[in-house]
Every structure is written in C-alpha cells, then in structure tokens.
Amino acid sequence: QVQLVESGGGSVQAGGSLTLSCAASGQTFSRFAMGWFRQAPGKEREFVGGISWSAGIPYFAEVADSVKGRFTISRDNAKITTYLQMNSLKPEDTAVYYCAVVPTYIDSVIRSSTAYHYWGQGTQVTVSS
C-alpha cells in the first residue's frame, strides 16, 4: 500500500500563492507517476499537473493548460514528495486538490484520473475574489 498525505491548502485572495505538498510513504516502486487533480463542487475531477518518477534524470512534468504559466510541479527525490506551486490564484481554482500515484513501466505523465491506484485525502484550496 502507498500512503499519500497532502498539505498546504488554505484560503487566499485572488492573486495570491500557495504551495501544496504530497508526501508518499509505504510501498515503493522503481518507476511511477504522480499526479495532482482537483475537484470543485458539482464538477468532475480534473487533471492539474503530473510528474514522472524513477531513478533516471531528467523527469517529465506537465501542467494543464488551464494553469500553465501559473502552476509549477516539482519533486524532492529524497523526501519522495511532490510540490504544486500555485501562483496568481483565481477564484476558479477553488477546489479540493488531490495527489495520486500509479506504478508505470515507462517514465511518463499520466493525465487520466482513472489510471491512478492510490489517492491522498485531499486538501481544500479556496480563492476569494
């Protein structure tokens, strides 16, 4: 089993910044993908960003078009933690943010939420106008 713990959510005004963290523990994989998703009330869960993870360097990282230029995803190998740096936040970014992990055979970013096996509990991000 893999345990994922998100942190860093909160309430900010539009234009503000937050950094979310997702720390993984438990079962380890030699290669996996980690993704960030969000779900607003009444809406489907959507891909925000993803990163590949293996012993090799470089890694692949992508963010959704809706957050490109504002959000950045990165990782800390030693801590097995990914970070979602969110700048210039907008009210439409308000949602519960989840991180997820799936073992993979190749280094890749996976955008489909249905592909992921393990999920964190989520952290609320609220952006007020």
Side-chain angles (χ1 to χ4, degrees):
Q1 288 290 326
V2 175
Q3 289 78 45
L4 300 172
V5 178
E6 300 106 332
S7 61
S11 298
V12 296
Q13 291 189 329
S17 298
L18 285 172
T19 300
L20 305 184
S21 301
C22 176
S25 63
Q27 185 178 1
T28 59
F29 307 103
S30 59
R31 181 178 284 110
F32 60 92
M34 185 174 280
W36 282 98
F37 295 82
R38 67 185 181 186
Q39 188 165 21
K43 295 187 177 181
E44 294 186 351
R45 189 167 297 188
E46 66 171 344
F47 172 80
V48 177
I51 195 164
S52 64
W53 206 301
S54 71
I57 297 174
Y59 57 84
F60 300 99
E62 296 177 11
V63 295
D65 288 344
S66 59
V67 304
K68 195 166 292 183
R70 300 187 297 122
F71 290 13
T72 303
I73 188 168
S74 61
R75 72 184 198 188
D76 183 322
N77 288 346
K79 297 180 179 180
I80 316 181
T81 298
T82 60
Y83 303 96
L84 185 67
Q85 174 68 46
M86 307 186 295
N87 298 324
S88 302
L89 283 162
K90 304 176 181 179
E92 50 263 44
D93 294 319
T94 295
V96 178
Y97 284 70
Y98 300 89
C99 67
V101 161
V102 60
T104 59
Y105 293 104
I106 60 174
D107 293 331
S108 60
V109 172
I110 297 177
R111 291 174 172 251
S112 172
S113 62
T114 59
Y116 285 84
H117 296 181
Y118 306 99
W119 290 83
Q121 80 286 354
T123 185
Q124 176 71 46
V125 171
T126 303
V127 184
S128 59
S129 58

